[in-house]
């Protein structure tokens, strides 16, 4: 049944019957306690990514690797990150695979993608709260592509390490969308510091935010944060 | 809001601190006669004179539910409706026409891309009624831009989106209301006996709702030039245009975006937002999320267990929708039943709170807690097993497999 | 002034404060400083800053001392500031704000402030506030009376219901009725004896309020006493309503076969004529034991007993008496009884009582077959939409061709189509029927609904 489903993926495309997809889902469920079977399945699915199967078939595969993927399938997924048609679905899996290899593949891809694909990879690193990428993301705050700079700001706001906070606190974006994202990232970092009881560092970030004549709702956010610093 | 006829207090023992706080006056300083609570940017940015009584609004996603929402806000005297946004030309034009007809002018601005609308500093609040996969992104972006939001239910497409939305609302002190009008209006006969003590200590409630959304592999169709398909898909995985994929009808069994996993949780989130919202309100757990979801394999139903012991069952066999189990004969005190503020149902509640900065009845946190029930249920059904849930950490403890379903990577260039 | 300079001054001040806070200060002291900061914000010229202060008051700086400091500002703010602070203090829910609220209440003449104070007292007040709130309910301002009523319902404390009863005893009838309504909304079970006494009041408005309250609170042991209220009610509308109130109380008894028992037990204690009057109430509750008594009354040669028996049968809560109703339609010698039985049959035919939908539809068809006037056929058509199966649609369609019944049939069809669970699986059939409705109906709302359902859209009942 599973073999037939995997075979069917070779000709699977938009409009095809969902039967092979359902068969694969069944195989995923039934192998929940069978590590060897899961590994075989993962290997077979990853192989589809290396084949000339359709974009739709690879979409199906990435969704399933999101569920069961391990470090073993990361190389196959990583290759897709630079492909305009497959990059998102590769991240669909890589963003959720806990293995450190998945995060590394995203970091490694940063230098080989640009434009929207880079934005996507940055977003996935942020979603993973990947502290190891903070140093790589920090310089991107000044990227000439404002979408990249904005994504870096949001990701650093998710990562919330000292490096991230410092980068956000010293960024001087001129583009409005990047500015909004950098402010948001700084506020997120300050809140994280407050949650950890580090009021002094949070205050530094708030101070930095006020220095740039922010919009009114940001001033309100800062005032709110400062009140939290003053509380017990 | 009445006029400010008395002067503000004029002395303080902490003059130095007062001085420093005074310096935080956010901007050039509003006139003394400004209403006490209403936001001062109601008809302008920081540097424009005092507040008007009207809340300046725009809407994003003006289809079925959006049309109703727009009508409700447009009909209010305390709202000035100035902008519409939709990726479908026809819906957008119809929505603009409706506004212009109302005000007898042509001032309403149309937008295809919501980011342009969000960037307008004269807009105080927006309502969002796009397909569900856009909700979180738009609400968060609106908060970052200092706007209050009325967001249709279900508020999220993934569990991880919920806390991010609440955080954005709280961070910027925004009023963000979820959109299920039914929670308060439709379930009174269930809610009131629970809150007024008639049923004694509440043990459980059952909700019957479904189905779950499904995979979609519809074939490509010729894309009409009246839709910005890439923007309709937004953060969802790319797929070719097909009318049934993006149809806004209320079906959840195919032939509508509400049926498909990339855009909706199906009936489980769509009607679930109403039923679970009403049920969690009835048994007074709307401020909580379950700590455990028990999957009953034999009969294919779920029990959500809440801290404190209350239970919510889903599709329990031979049990009616919204059926409550209490403690017969036990006498307990009535609790004050929360309700809408202002006038005009859930819409009036939102507008009143925009003015007073209070939390609306369907504060985003309650909306998120409701739809979290749906998402947890979907994951349990999908994995066909029970789950533990740590609401504080927003994680399935020691359950890597389930944690993969907390969120989904968004298609570039969209990030939360 | 340059905004940046504003904030530099602000920061310097804040940092000096912050530094002092960090030098090992106690939690209480930190709280106190926070309260001071919030109070400064509350006095700010900018409404957004004041709103932020109110947000903080609602949830931050816990403790009575903080609450009292916040509440102390009530006297110093302008009216709209007082309203905002009252709402924030109410949301904070700390009773230590009450004295300041009461002080404000006694010193203000601003209606908005008075209303906000009344609302707030409902959340942080106590039994001492009962006289003030009842006084407002008795006042001439409807808005304040409504607010006071809601607050009296919310007011916490075990002794509050007794205090309301004390007020009730010295009040005029209209006020008594309002306070009975408050007690019912509070679910003050200890005040059931007071309500039972009120069912035989000389004032109709008090009797009605008491019966309404008891319909929500009375347990099985109280139902016999409620029957005195039925007897005390004036014949006609008041008695009919009183009977329904007893019915609601009986329906709360979980086991259906037990629901009539309190009545059946109590009836022998009434006189013969009163027992006949109570048959009508018994009919509304139903059950086999009740039916035996009612059938006996119908069979009685005494015209009064027969009449009350038929009335009781026509009040039946479900279709289990369909056979008896049909018998009356066919054999009763009084035209009025026949018609009552027919209308009753049409009413009960679609009710949910364990029969399947086809059986319900068949019974309704049978009833229509016995109709001699268009009015009853139109009534029957309107009842069909409660039977949500495609067979109902097929039954209704031919009526759209009969001008006398077309509008009723069209309305019933859109009512049926409103339910997605029956419409969507039979889309083709419904679409054709809705086209017929669109072509036939003269009612713009019905046509709009038909169009919406065809497109898979919803329609919100006004």
């Amino acid at each position: 049944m599973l073999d037939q489903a995997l075979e069917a993926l070779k000709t699977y495309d938009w409009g095809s019957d969902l039967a092979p997809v359902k068969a694969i889902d069944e195989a995923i469920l039934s192998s929940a306690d069978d590590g060897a079977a899961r590994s075989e399945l993962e290997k077979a699915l990853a192989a589809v990514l290396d084949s000339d199967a359709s974009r739709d078939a690879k979409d199906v595969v990435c969704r399933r690797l999101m569920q069961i993927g391990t470090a073993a399938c990361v190389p196959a997924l990583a290759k897709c990150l630079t492909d305009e048609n497959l990059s998102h679905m590769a991240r669909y899996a890589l963003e959720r695979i806990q293995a450190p290899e998945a995060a590394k593949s995203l970091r490694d891809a940063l230098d080989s993608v640009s434009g929207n694909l880079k934005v996507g990879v940055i977003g996935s690193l942020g979603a993973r709260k990947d502290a190891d990428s903070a140093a790589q993301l920090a310089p991107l705050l000044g990227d000439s592509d404002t979408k990249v700079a904005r994504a870096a700001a949001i990701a650093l706001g998710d990562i919330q390490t000292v490096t991230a906070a410092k980068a956000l606190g010293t960024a001087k974006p001129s583009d409005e969308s990047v500015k909004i994202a950098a402010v948001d990232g700084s506020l997120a970092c300050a809140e994280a510091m407050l949650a950890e009881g580090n009021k002094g560092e949070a205050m530094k970030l708030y101070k930095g935010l006020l220095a740039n004549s922010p919009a009114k709702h940001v001033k309100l956010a800062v005032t709110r944060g400062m009140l939290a610093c003053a509380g017990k | 809001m009445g006029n400010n006829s008395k002067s503000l207090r004029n002395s303080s023992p902490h003059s130095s601190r007062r001085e420093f706080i005074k310096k935080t006056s956010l901007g050039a300083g509003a006139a003394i006669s400004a209403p006490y609570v209403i936001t001062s940017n109601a008809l302008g940015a920081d540097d424009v004179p005092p507040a008007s009584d009207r809340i300046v609004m725009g809407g994003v996603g003006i289809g079925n539910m959006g049309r109703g929402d727009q009508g409700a806000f447009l009909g209010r005297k305390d709202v000035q409706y100035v902008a519409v946004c939709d990726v479908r030309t026809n819906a957008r034009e119809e929505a603009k026409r409706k506004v212009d007809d109302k005000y007898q002018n042509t001032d309403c601005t149309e937008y295809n891309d919501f980011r342009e609308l969000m960037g307008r500093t004269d807009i105080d609040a927006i309502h969002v009624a796009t397909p569900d996969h856009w909700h979180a992104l738009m609400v968060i972006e609106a908060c970052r831009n200092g706007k209050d939001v009325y967001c249709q239910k279900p508020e999220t497409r993934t569990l991880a989106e919920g806390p991010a939305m609440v955080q954005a609302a709280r961070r910027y002190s925004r009023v963000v209301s979820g959109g299920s009008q039914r929670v308060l209006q439709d379930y009174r006969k269930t809610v009131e006996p629970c809150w007024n003590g008639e049923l004694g200590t509440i043990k459980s409630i059952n909700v019957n709702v479904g189905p779950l959304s499904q995979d979609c592999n519809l074939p490509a169709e010729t894309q009409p030039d009246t839709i910005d398909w890439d923007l309709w898909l937004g953060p969802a995985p790319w797929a070719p245009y097909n009318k049934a994929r993006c149809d806004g009808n209320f079906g959840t069994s195919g032939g509508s975006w509400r049926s498909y996993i990339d855009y909706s949780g199906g009936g489980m989130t769509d009607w679930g937002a109403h039923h679970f919202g009403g049920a969690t309100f009835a048994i007074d757990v709307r401020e909580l999320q379950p700590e455990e979801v028990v999957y009953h394999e034999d009969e294919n139903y779920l029990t959500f267990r809440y801290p404190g012991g209350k239970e919510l069952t889903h599709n329990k066999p031979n049990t009616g929708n919204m059926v409550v189990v209490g403690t017969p004969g036990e006498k307990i005190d009535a609790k004050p039943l929360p309700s809408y503020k202002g006038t005009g149902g859930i819409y009036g509640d939102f507008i009143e709170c925009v003015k007073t900065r209070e939390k609306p009845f369907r504060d985003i946190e309650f909306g998120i807690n409701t739809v979290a029930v749906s998402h947890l249920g979907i994951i349990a059904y999908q994995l066909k097993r029970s789950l533990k849930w740590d609401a504080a950490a927003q994680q399935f403890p020691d359950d890597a497999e389930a944690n993969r379903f907390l969120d989904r990577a968004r298609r570039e260039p969209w990030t939360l | 002034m340059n905004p940046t300079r504003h904030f530099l001054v602000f920061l310097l001040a804040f940092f000096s404060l912050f530094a002092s806070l960090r030098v090992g200060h106690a939690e209480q002291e930190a709280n106190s400083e926070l309260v001071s900061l919030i109070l400064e914000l509350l006095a700010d010229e900018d409404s957004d800053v004041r709103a932020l202060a109110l947000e903080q008051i609602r949830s931050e700086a816990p403790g009575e001392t903080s609450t009292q400091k916040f509440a102390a500002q009530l006297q110093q703010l302008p009216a709209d500031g007082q309203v905002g602070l009252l709402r924030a203090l109410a949301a904070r829910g700390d009773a230590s704000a009450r004295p300041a609220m009461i002080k404000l209440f006694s010193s203000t003449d601003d209606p908005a402030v008075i209303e906000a104070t009344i609302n707030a007292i409902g959340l942080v007040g106590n039994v001492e506030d009962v006289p003030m709130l009842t006084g407002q309910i008795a006042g001439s301002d409807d808005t304040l009376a409504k607010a006071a009523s809601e607050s009296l319902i919310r007011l916490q404390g075990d002794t509050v219901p007794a205090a309301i009863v004390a007020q009730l005893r010295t009040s005029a009838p209209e006020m008594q009725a309002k306070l009975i309504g408050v007690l019912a909304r509070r679910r003050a079970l200890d005040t059931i004896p007071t309500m039972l006494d009120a069912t035989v009041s000389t004032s109709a408005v008090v009797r009605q309020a008491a019966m309404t309250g008891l319909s929500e609170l009375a347990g099985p042991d109280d139902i016999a006493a409620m029957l005195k209220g039925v007897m005390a009610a004036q014949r006609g509308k008041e008695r009919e309503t009183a009977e329904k109130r007893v019915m609601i109380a009986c329906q709360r008894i979980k086991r259906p076969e037990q629901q009539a028992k309190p009545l059946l037990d109590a009836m022998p204690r009434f006189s013969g004529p009163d027992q006949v009057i109570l048959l009508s109430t018994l009919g509304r509750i139903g059950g086999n034991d009740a039916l035996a008594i009612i059938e006996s009354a119908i069979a009685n040669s005494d015209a009064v007993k027969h009449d009350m028996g038929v009335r009781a049968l026509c009040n039946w809560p479900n279709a289990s008496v369909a056979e008896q109703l049909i018998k009356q339609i066919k054999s009763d010698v009084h035209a009025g009884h026949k018609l009552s039985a027919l209308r009753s049959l049409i009413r009960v035919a679609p009710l949910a009582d364990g029969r399947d939908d086809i059986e319900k539809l068949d019974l309704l068809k049978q009833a229509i077959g016995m109709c001699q006037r268009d009015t009853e056929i139109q009534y029957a058509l309107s009842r069909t939409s409660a039977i949500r199966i495609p067979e109902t649609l097929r039954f209704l369609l031919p009526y759209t061709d009969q001008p006398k019944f077309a509008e009723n049939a069209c309305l019933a069809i859109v009512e049926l189509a409103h339910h997605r669970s029956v419409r969507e699986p039979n889309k083709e059939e419904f679409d054709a029927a809705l086209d017929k409705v669109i072509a036939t109906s003269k009612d713009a709302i019905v046509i709009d609904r038909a169009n919406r359902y065809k497109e898979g859209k919803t329609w919100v009942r006004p």
Side-chain angles (χ1 to χ4, degrees), chain B residues 192-201 327 330-335, chain C residues 187 189:
Chain B
E192 285 181 356
C194 294
W195 281 69
N196 69 20
E198 189 179 338
L199 301 180
T201 302
T327 309
E330 186 189 21
K331 184 189 167 188
I332 60 170
D333 288 338
K335 293 178 289 189
Chain C
R187 293 198 56 76
L189 298 176

Side-chain angles (χ1 to χ4, degrees), chain A residues 15 56 69 91 184 216-217, chain B residues 40 144 172 217 403-404 412:
Chain A
D56 192 18
R91 288 191 295 107
D184 194 63
K216 187 172 190 174
H217 64 284
Chain B
S40 64
R144 284 177 184 148
Y172 297 107
N217 200 39
N403 280 327
R404 296 202 182 198
E412 55 274 357

Side-chain angles (χ1 to χ4, degrees), chain B residues 1-9 11-41 51 64-65 67 170 173-174 182 192-193 196-199 247-253 270-271 328 331-339 341-342 352 356-359, chain C residues 1 3 5-7 9-15 17 32-33 36-52 54-55 58-59 73 75-85 87-88 91 108 110 122-123 153-158 184-190 216 252 254 420 423-424 452 455-458 460:
Chain B
M1 292 288 158
N3 287 328
N4 181 348
S5 56
K6 299 179 187 175
S7 61
L8 295 167
R9 72 195 183 92
S11 65
S12 164
H14 309 287
S15 57
S16 65
R17 190 169 51 245
R18 188 184 70 170
E19 181 60 18
F20 110 75
I21 282 285
K22 283 286 184 190
K23 300 303 179 190
T24 68
S25 291
L26 304 175
I32 297 285
S33 61
Y36 202 80
V37 179
I38 190 170
T39 55
S40 64
N41 63 336
N64 281 354
M65 289 312 299
R67 195 183 298 127
R170 302 291 183 254
S173 297
R174 293 301 94 196
R182 294 181 187 272
E192 285 181 356
N196 69 20
E198 189 179 338
L199 301 180
D247 196 298
N249 74 65
F250 292 96
T252 51
S253 303
D270 195 54
W271 267 97
K331 184 189 167 188
I332 60 170
D333 288 338
K335 293 178 289 189
L337 188 64
S339 190
K341 300 176 183 76
E352 178 72 5
T356 65
R357 315 310 299 166
E358 292 171 292
K359 283 184 185 169
Chain C
M1 188 190 279
R5 277 183 60 206
H6 272 182
F7 286 104
V9 177
F10 159 75
L11 280 169
L12 282 175
F14 193 91
F15 271 109
L17 166 72
S32 170
E33 292 295 344
S36 300
L37 292 172
I38 294 169
L39 293 181
E40 296 291 350
L41 295 178
L42 189 63
D44 199 273
E45 293 172 352
D46 188 306
S47 58
D48 286 316
V49 179
R50 299 196 296 267
L52 180 61
L54 293 176
E55 178 197 301
R58 281 193 285 273
S59 56
Q73 304 305 305
Q75 294 288 341
Q76 301 173 52
L77 294 168
D80 52 356
Q82 290 171 333
V83 170
L85 182 53
R87 289 170 74 146
T108 185
D110 186 300
L123 292 168
I153 291 164
R154 293 179 163 194
L155 202 61
Q156 297 291 297
D158 292 343
R185 291 272 309 277
R186 288 185 66 93
R187 293 198 56 76
L189 298 176
D190 293 343
E216 293 164 21
R252 275 203 304 277
K254 221 166 183 181
R420 213 179 297 152
R423 185 185 75 220
E424 283 185 353
R452 295 183 74 84
E455 293 169 25
K457 294 175 183 170
T458 192
V460 180

Side-chain angles (χ1 to χ4, degrees), chain C residues 3 6 12-14 17 23 42 45 75 102 123 146 150 162 188 204 255 286 293 329-330 347 349 367 370 381 412 457:
Chain C
H6 272 182
L12 282 175
F14 193 91
L17 166 72
V23 187
L42 189 63
E45 293 172 352
Q75 294 288 341
I102 296 297
L123 292 168
K146 190 165 177 267
E150 288 300 315
R255 293 169 60 189
I293 292 173
I329 296 165
K330 288 181 175 170
R347 177 180 61 82
M370 291 186 278
L381 292 177
K457 294 175 183 170

Side-chain angles (χ1 to χ4, degrees), chain C residues 183-189 191-192 195 212-219 222 252:
Chain C
L183 290 170
R185 291 272 309 277
R186 288 185 66 93
R187 293 198 56 76
L189 298 176
T191 66
I192 286 176
M195 291 194 199
T212 303
L214 287 164
S215 73
E216 293 164 21
L217 302 189
D222 306 311
R252 275 203 304 277

